Amino acid sequence: MTFRPAADIGMTLAEVDTPCLVLDLDAFERNLDRLDASLAGRTVKVRPHAKSHKCPHIALRQMARGAVGVCCQKVSEAEAMVAGGVPDVLIANEVVGAAKLERLAVLARQARIRVCADNAANVRDLDAAARAAGVVLDVLVEVNVGANRCGVEPGEPVAALARAIAACGGLRFAGLQAYHGSAQHLRSVAERRDAIASAVAKVQSSKVALAAAGLPCDYVPGAGTGTYLYEAASGIYTELQPGSYIFMDADYARNDWTESGLPRFEHSLFVWTTVMSIQGSGQVVVDAGLKASSVDSGMPRVADIAGAEYVKASDEHGVIRLPAGVALALGEKLRLIPGHCDPTVNLYDWYVGVRDGRVAALWPITARGAVL
Amino acid sequence: MTFRPAADIGMTLAEVDTPCLVLDLDAFERNLDRLDASLAGRTVKVRPHAKSHKCPHIALRQMARGAVGVCCQKVSEAEAMVAGGVPDVLIANEVVGAAKLERLAVLARQARIRVCADNAANVRDLDAAARAAGVVLDVLVEVNVGANRCGVEPGEPVAALARAIAACGGLRFAGLQAYHGSAQHLRSVAERRDAIASAVAKVQSSKVALAAAGLPCDYVPGAGTGTYLYEAASGIYTELQPGSYIFMDADYARNDWTESGLPRFEHSLFVWTTVMSIQGSGQVVVDAGLKASSVDSGMPRVADIAGAEYVKASDEHGVIRLPAGVALALGEKLRLIPGHCDPTVNLYDWYVGVRDGRVAALWPITARGAVL
């Protein structure tokens, strides 16, 4: 509901009011470069996840560098991407309920849309919606490759659901969605590598079952920022779905990234905040609390001030403990690194893109709040 | 950015798509009644906090029952309230920075606006902004009554800042803001009562210092849903600022409310969600995750199904563990009680007001995202 952009083009960063979501455009572009460089020589495609940025401006920049489209989690998110000019969206999630299925099928008239399923009743509903809209929908089977959230079990259950899809006049069996969500934040390289090895085995057994059912499968998307190099190296994944790599939040930064070949994505997304109260020495209150930075994956981190710690968030306030010898003045502004980028982005209506210390871009987050 | 209402008037609740924010209008109105009844016979005024609901429709309903105006935390929130027809707003918070101060002073030409301060440099900035806008601003001194967040220490420091305010041609010293934020969720009645007794003593010592400085103070707002009866009974607080009582979230419900006289507010705010995946027996996945219900104060609770537990939230998914013998079908919809109402409301653009099982109101949350 905040239609007014959070800043004006050309302002210095110091002039930008707070709290707002600042994107360091150079760092963001270096992260795009790092992803590309890390995949040089591979045939695997990239389809970044738009649930992280919720912004067609960013999606189109990813596609300009070779991404084949984007992923979304929600139909309304996909609608925002298509409205913003993205021609190819994979909804890497199940879509349940008549209202959403109707919107999904109508959207498939305007853009290339694929969707996932993990349930035979849902497949029947997808078929009915596709027929009603006069489209043929591409449906992937989501495989539970280890996260134990959505998805059918690997092997024969995958083949059974694929057969059900293929038997529907309104649907086409389009491949296997094989994202291992709970592997992304395993802290050690070895844990993440092992988790993806296990996921790959589950995809393989599923492909064997599909082949036996006469349903060859040449489209296997999956992977996130924490693991994508392992999926890329597997030879079995055909598309990668990282989202957070463009921003690199505080929680992802707690992963061990030291393995050779792993790109060192840098923080590009910041919550810009002002010191609004000073309580004696050693502690200040800033104007960014729970409504400015999501704390589900830990508190935001204070950038630029070694030893400063954001220790407590309430709705509109954040308490920062300062190291000995550091003082901040009332009105001073500082950058916070969000704990978790996705739900933090979802609090804002605008990115304030900054380059060389000035506002150089204002990108609306048109899929903010797109939960349907 | 989601301009389309989340439902249509007249729909049955079962038809309403998910996730969305459902307000049980009868329960909401009963909560309004309970607050009034609990204060019957008292002269203290009520100025509910709009940071909880962010919706002028709700503010005007509170005022129709006698509330004298609303509180806000942010200038942009106050702008949304004034734009929605609220004539009297107390910004129960400090406002720091030239851009916000200019907006604040301009807003004071359109409505009765009061603001808080806890810093002499900020008082000078407030004065300059008021003079530039040609207004005289009412400024309260915020007293640190125990939360150790913002506010000056009680007693002489309060009087010193009040003198600084009174000495400014663009400002009027208008009273003491004395909200004890960290007392609200102390679980036992005794702890909350003791915390407010301590806050009252700090207000008293501050009033003594003010009187000695020739600055009598007859306006002392403060209090929240967890403690307001104690401030009301103090004889020293003149206005109460509860916000969450209209919704009663899961975290507030963990307080002990058994003391005589404490109203039993009921849950009126729900996240309406759909079962989107079924993993074997005993566990389902719903379509409401971190972007649909804030988890900073604990997971949402499952309403209507005894023993069901929402155990895990990811960005777009929630995992619910079901008690033995309970099964839910794919597509079934259920109500979640948010862990914390304020940041949950801030995720949505609309309230879907339901009465007698049908959508009876669609209220835009016009201050959603109003963090400036």
Side-chain angles (χ1 to χ4, degrees):
Chain A
M1 290 292 189
T2 52
F3 309 135
R4 178 163 59 179
D8 296 320
I9 296 285
M11 271 183 174
T12 64
L13 179 56
E15 290 170 327
V16 174
D17 204 2
T18 66
C20 74
L21 199 58
V22 163
L23 184 62
D24 177 331
L25 294 170
D26 288 334
F28 161 72
E29 289 167 7
R30 285 192 295 267
N31 285 340
L32 296 178
D33 290 341
R34 287 182 181 104
L35 186 88
D36 291 348
S38 71
L39 294 169
R42 299 226 181 259
T43 54
V44 68
K45 303 252 187 326
V46 178
R47 179 185 293 275
H49 215 310
K51 81 188 186 79
S52 301
H53 57 66
K54 291 182 165 282
C55 174
H57 281 265
I58 293 180
L60 294 175
R61 277 163 178 76
Q62 292 171 317
M63 293 188 71
R65 289 178 183 243
V68 295
V70 297
C71 301
C72 287
Q73 292 290 83
K74 300 283 189 169
V75 175
S76 54
E77 212 170 56
E79 289 171 335
M81 289 297 134
V82 171
V86 176
D88 187 335
V89 178
L90 165 61
I91 299 179
N93 197 10
E94 287 69 31
V95 174
V96 172
K100 288 191 189 73
L101 290 172
E102 182 184 339
R103 288 163 67 169
L104 175 76
V106 168
L107 194 66
R109 292 203 208 119
Q110 304 166 54
R112 175 151 200 202
I113 302 292
R114 284 175 268 205
V115 67
C116 299
D118 71 355
N119 183 293
N122 182 229
V123 166
R124 290 191 291 275
D125 293 342
L126 280 162
D127 184 45
R131 288 166 183 261
V135 297
V136 177
L137 266 177
D138 284 325
V139 180
L140 286 74
V141 173
E142 180 169 5
V143 190
N144 176 12
V145 291
N148 299 320
R149 193 173 63 186
C150 301
V152 299
E153 293 306 304
E156 185 44 42
V158 168
L161 194 62
R163 271 194 301 265
I165 293 166
C168 291
L171 308 180
R172 230 180 340 249
F173 169 63
L176 298 180
Q177 167 70 12
Y179 173 62
H180 194 331
S182 58
Q184 303 306 315
H185 290 86
L186 295 173
R187 295 307 184 202
S188 76
V189 165
E191 286 171 298
R192 298 201 298 280
R193 182 190 288 279
D194 289 352
I196 300 312
S198 163
V200 165
K202 290 172 179 175
V203 174
Q204 276 165 333
S205 70
S206 302
K207 285 188 71 164
V208 168
L210 285 166
L215 289 165
C217 165
D218 59 2
Y219 183 56
V220 183
T225 295
T227 65
Y228 74 94
L229 276 187
Y230 311 127
E231 284 92 340
S234 71
I236 200 163
Y237 279 82
T238 61
E239 257 182 31
L240 308 176
Q241 305 175 328
S244 304
Y245 73 101
I246 56 174
F247 298 141
M248 182 45 60
D249 59 31
D251 193 36
Y252 256 122
R254 283 187 277 268
N255 276 8
D256 176 11
W257 292 91
T258 55
E259 190 182 35
S260 136
L262 280 180
R264 304 299 296 265
F265 298 113
E266 67 189 293
H267 300 300
S268 69
L269 186 78
F270 301 92
V271 173
W272 186 227
T273 189
T274 297
V275 175
M276 58 170 287
S277 185
I278 295 178
Q279 290 296 312
S281 64
Q283 187 167 304
V284 298
V285 178
V286 294
D287 64 359
L290 296 172
K291 294 175 187 170
S293 197
S294 178
V295 301
D296 60 89
S297 301
M299 293 294 138
R301 272 181 38 218
V302 180
D304 312 320
I305 307 173
E309 194 184 356
Y310 185 114
V311 292
K312 188 162 186 289
S314 47
D315 285 354
E316 291 86 7
H317 301 90
V319 177
I320 292 180
R321 209 169 281 151
L322 297 172
V326 172
L328 291 173
L330 194 79
E332 207 161 323
K333 294 177 181 175
L334 50 152
R335 304 191 303 172
L336 305 176
I337 301 161
H340 187 181
C341 55
D342 298 29
T344 297
V345 166
N346 191 48
L347 298 170
Y348 291 91
D349 292 309
W350 296 89
Y351 292 101
V352 177
V354 172
R355 201 187 304 274
D356 298 331
R358 288 192 179 267
V359 177
L362 293 165
W363 293 339
I365 304 172
T366 56
R368 194 223 75 73
V371 285
L372 291 181
Chain B
M1 290 290 187
T2 51
F3 309 134
R4 179 162 59 180
D8 296 319
I9 296 285
M11 273 184 172
T12 64
L13 179 57
E15 290 170 327
V16 174
D17 204 2
T18 67
C20 75
L21 199 58
V22 164
L23 183 62
D24 177 331
L25 294 170
D26 289 334
F28 161 72
E29 289 167 6
R30 285 192 294 267
N31 285 340
L32 296 179
D33 290 341
R34 285 181 183 107
L35 187 86
D36 291 347
S38 72
L39 294 170
R42 299 227 182 257
T43 55
V44 69
K45 304 252 189 322
V46 177
R47 179 185 292 276
H49 216 311
K51 80 189 187 76
S52 303
H53 57 66
K54 289 180 165 284
C55 175
H57 281 267
I58 292 180
L60 293 175
R61 277 164 177 76
Q62 292 172 316
M63 293 188 71
R65 290 179 183 241
V68 294
V70 297
C71 300
C72 287
Q73 292 292 83
K74 301 282 189 170
V75 175
S76 54
E77 214 170 55
E79 288 171 335
M81 289 299 134
V82 171
V86 176
D88 187 334
V89 178
L90 165 61
I91 299 180
N93 197 11
E94 286 69 32
V95 173
V96 173
K100 288 190 190 75
L101 290 173
E102 183 184 339
R103 288 164 66 170
L104 174 75
V106 168
L107 193 65
R109 291 202 210 119
Q110 304 166 53
R112 174 151 202 200
I113 301 292
R114 282 173 270 203
V115 66
C116 299
D118 71 356
N119 183 292
N122 183 230
V123 166
R124 289 191 291 274
D125 293 342
L126 280 161
D127 184 45
R131 287 166 184 262
V135 297
V136 176
L137 266 177
D138 283 324
V139 180
L140 286 74
V141 174
E142 181 169 4
V143 190
N144 176 12
V145 291
N148 299 319
R149 193 174 64 186
C150 302
V152 299
E153 292 306 304
E156 184 44 41
V158 168
L161 195 62
R163 271 194 301 265
I165 294 166
C168 291
L171 308 180
R172 230 182 338 248
F173 168 63
L176 298 180
Q177 166 70 13
Y179 172 62
H180 193 331
S182 58
Q184 302 307 314
H185 289 87
L186 294 172
R187 294 310 182 201
S188 76
V189 165
E191 286 171 297
R192 297 200 298 281
R193 182 190 287 279
D194 290 352
I196 300 312
S198 163
V200 166
K202 290 172 179 175
V203 174
Q204 276 165 333
S205 70
S206 302
K207 285 188 72 165
V208 168
L210 285 167
L215 289 165
C217 165
D218 59 1
Y219 183 56
V220 183
T225 295
T227 65
Y228 75 93
L229 276 188
Y230 312 127
E231 285 92 341
S234 71
I236 199 161
Y237 280 82
T238 61
E239 257 183 31
L240 308 175
Q241 305 173 328
S244 304
Y245 73 100
I246 56 174
F247 298 142
M248 182 45 58
D249 58 31
D251 194 36
Y252 256 122
R254 283 188 277 268
N255 276 7
D256 176 9
W257 292 90
T258 54
E259 191 183 33
S260 137
L262 280 180
R264 304 299 297 265
F265 297 114
E266 67 189 293
H267 301 299
S268 69
L269 186 77
F270 301 92
V271 173
W272 186 229
T273 189
T274 297
V275 175
M276 57 170 287
S277 185
I278 295 177
Q279 289 294 313
S281 65
Q283 188 167 303
V284 298
V285 178
V286 294
D287 63 0
L290 296 172
K291 294 174 187 170
S293 197
S294 180
V295 301
D296 60 89
S297 301
M299 293 293 138
R301 273 180 38 218
V302 180
D304 312 319
I305 307 174
E309 193 183 358
Y310 186 113
V311 291
K312 189 163 185 288
S314 47
D315 285 354
E316 290 86 7
H317 301 90
V319 177
I320 292 179
R321 209 169 282 150
L322 297 172
V326 172
L328 291 174
L330 194 79
E332 207 160 325
K333 294 176 181 175
L334 51 152
R335 304 192 302 172
L336 304 176
I337 301 160
H340 187 180
C341 55
D342 298 28
T344 298
V345 166
N346 190 48
L347 298 170
Y348 291 91
D349 292 309
W350 296 89
Y351 292 100
V352 177
V354 172
R355 200 189 303 274
D356 298 331
R358 289 193 179 268
V359 177
L362 293 165
W363 293 340
I365 305 173
T366 55
R368 192 224 74 73
V371 285
L372 290 182

